[in-house]
Amino acid sequence: MNWDETGPDTDERLDERLVQADADGEDTAVEAALRPKDLDEFVGQEKVREQLDLVLKAARARGATADHVLLSGAPGLGKTTLSMIIAAEMGAPIRITSGPAIQHAGDLAAILSSLQEGEVLFLDEIHRMSRPAEEMLYMAMEDFRVDVIVGKGPGATAIPLELPPFTLVGATTRAGLLPPPLRDRFGFTGHMEFYAPTELERVIHRSARLLDVEIDVDGAAEIAGRSRGTPRIANRLLRRVRDYAQVKADGRIDRPVAAAALGVYEVDARGLDRLDRAVLGALLKLFGGGPVGLSTLAVAVGEERETVEEVAEPFLVREGLLARTPRGRVATPAAWVHLGLVPPQHGGKGQQGLFGA
Ligand SMILES: Nc1ncnc2c1ncn2[C@@H]1O[C@H](COP(=O)(O)OP(=O)(O)O)[C@@H](O)[C@H]1O
Ligand SMILES: [Mg+2]
């Protein structure tokens, strides 16, 4: 495990845990190498791509700096990639930072005042910025100006500082957490959806080409089906399957090779990994299917609340295996089936009551 605890990208760090076995050092380098470089190469997200294409083309035609862009969506869907594409399409440099990295308004002032004209400022996890920094950002986004406070106490004075026009690209996994005044200052909001299996197959074929791995249609489909709608996971699984194919087969990836490899890495046929099954297993075996509180469930699997809530649950909910109810987390009948367990038969209420058996 070499998660960089000082790294700015908590979403990606949480996301690392999706494939435990994959925490090797070359990870980020390979990921960067697989990033599409322009909008045409970017697979799927038709709506966001079309809208963004218009925003960028129009700005270019006017010779202007593009409007501020907010990208929202789950980890690994391509927010960082799109921010780089925006800069590339505008022929602009890009500066990358994140909400948690900006502790004080002064940190933000230093970044803003050193931007070049037209530069793209990528602010990852923008929902985790401090309040004072956020307020400074409002003025910077709207008027391209910041007030730098000099001195302390009653003698403090605000010195206005003009900024060159720039494009803020904010990324968030939780658009709902953004204060409305901040949300309203973005000229365009792109919501990234989970990818369809056929789109993930395209991502996998593209990555296989770049990695120089031979893969057939069924092999790609097998990996796509276990990738939870997420390109980052598709790319990770592809690399693990490649390892297996090189060691245990002739290097070529077909369906049996992909299935066997993913079995070794404990990614099941529906894409559940060790953590997902641990959460579901605890819910079923220790708490009879629930309802149980999130904190209790997290302690039971030895993970942070946040990890269970943000990494495992969204996928389990999406798959119809777990429900969040006012009384706590509850397993659905499909969860029992998926883990091959039989629900306890204590007549009356329990799950049957909630799901009408
Ligand atoms: N639409 C896409 N087409 C091809 N590859 C993609 C796409 N979206 C994401 N990826 C790949 O998935 C990985 C994660 O994408 P990233 O932009 O870092 O996601 P996020 O910032 O939303 O967490 C990158 O390596 C990138 O190559
Ligand atoms: Mg990112």
Side-chain angles (χ1 to χ4, degrees):
M1 311 285 143
N2 60 347
W3 303 323
D4 179 4
E5 287 303 321
T6 60
D9 200 334
T10 302
D11 291 334
E12 290 186 12
R13 250 184 295 138
L14 284 174
D15 197 47
E16 288 284 348
R17 302 182 194 190
L18 291 172
V19 183
Q20 295 272 351
D22 195 17
D24 54 73
E26 60 163 303
D27 231 42
T28 32
V30 178
E31 192 161 271
L34 296 179
R35 278 186 207 288
K37 303 277 185 285
D38 58 38
L39 274 183
D40 288 335
E41 261 188 85
F42 194 81
V43 174
Q45 307 291 342
E46 302 301 336
K47 195 159 269 165
V48 172
R49 239 185 34 213
E50 185 188 351
Q51 294 164 338
L52 201 53
D53 190 43
L54 286 173
V55 170
L56 300 181
K57 277 198 176 120
R60 270 202 311 262
R62 289 194 303 268
T65 300
D67 234 340
H68 304 305
V69 174
L70 179 65
L71 300 173
S72 76
L77 298 189
K79 299 181 297 299
T80 300
T81 304
L82 260 192
S83 75
M84 293 176 174
I85 290 176
I86 290 171
E89 297 265 342
M90 293 304 290
I94 181 167
R95 182 88 56 94
I96 298 179
T97 185
S98 74
I102 297 173
Q103 296 293 331
H104 310 286
D107 299 339
L108 182 62
I111 293 170
L112 290 170
S113 59
S114 65
L115 291 176
Q116 300 172 40
E117 177 161 355
E119 191 159 353
V120 170
L121 174 61
F122 178 56
L123 236 172
D124 210 357
E125 292 188 84
I126 192 167
H127 60 275
R128 297 183 58 204
M129 208 171 26
S130 75
R131 229 323 118 79
E134 200 176 277
E135 270 156 24
M136 172 177 283
L137 194 59
Y138 294 164
M139 197 195 273
M141 289 173 77
E142 202 157 76
D143 303 327
F144 297 107
R145 193 164 65 85
V146 289
D147 280 339
V148 180
I149 310 291
V150 180
K152 276 203 165 93
T157 43
I159 301 178
L161 184 68
E162 295 285 328
L163 302 174
F166 65 95
T167 298
L168 178 72
V169 179
T172 181
T173 48
R174 310 267 207 98
L177 288 186
L178 281 196
L182 181 55
R183 230 180 316 163
D184 293 346
R185 282 170 169 79
F186 286 97
F188 168 71
T189 298
H191 183 71
M192 320 275 290
E193 306 283 350
F194 287 98
Y195 292 67
T198 51
E199 293 170 334
L200 290 177
E201 287 170 30
R202 279 165 59 204
V203 171
I204 291 165
H205 282 298
R206 176 180 174 276
S207 299
R209 245 187 340 268
L210 291 172
L211 295 171
D212 207 10
V213 192
E214 213 182 312
I215 186 167
D216 69 10
V217 171
D218 290 339
E222 185 66 36
I223 299 174
R226 301 189 190 206
S227 299
R228 319 163 64 125
T230 308
R232 172 177 294 132
I233 298 175
N235 282 339
R236 287 228 174 103
L237 297 184
L238 170 64
R239 272 147 42 218
R240 294 296 68 85
V241 173
R242 173 189 60 173
D243 293 347
Y244 181 96
Q246 278 168 1
V247 176
K248 302 271 190 187
D250 62 358
R252 281 199 54 215
I253 300 174
D254 54 18
R255 191 183 292 274
V257 166
L262 294 174
V264 169
Y265 290 105
E266 300 183 89
V267 175
D268 74 20
R270 265 178 108 151
L272 275 72
D273 66 10
R274 193 205 50 80
L275 174 65
D276 304 320
R277 278 196 308 275
V279 169
L280 220 48
L283 182 55
L284 299 182
K285 292 180 213 157
L286 302 179
F287 306 109
V292 62
L294 171 62
S295 305
T296 308
L297 192 56
V299 170
V301 296
E303 289 286 349
E304 305 279 331
R305 241 180 94 99
E306 209 188 19
T307 306
V308 172
E309 187 174 26
E310 291 182 19
V311 178
E313 284 190 353
F315 176 64
L316 295 174
V317 170
R318 206 150 47 84
E319 286 288 295
L321 296 169
L322 178 145
R324 293 167 167 163
T325 74
R327 289 192 297 144
R329 272 51 179 174
V330 177
T332 66
W336 294 96
V337 174
H338 186 69
L339 289 202
L341 297 169
V342 181
Q345 296 295 327
H346 46 239
K349 306 207 175 101
Q351 351 246 67
Q352 273 83 356
L354 274 162
F355 289 97

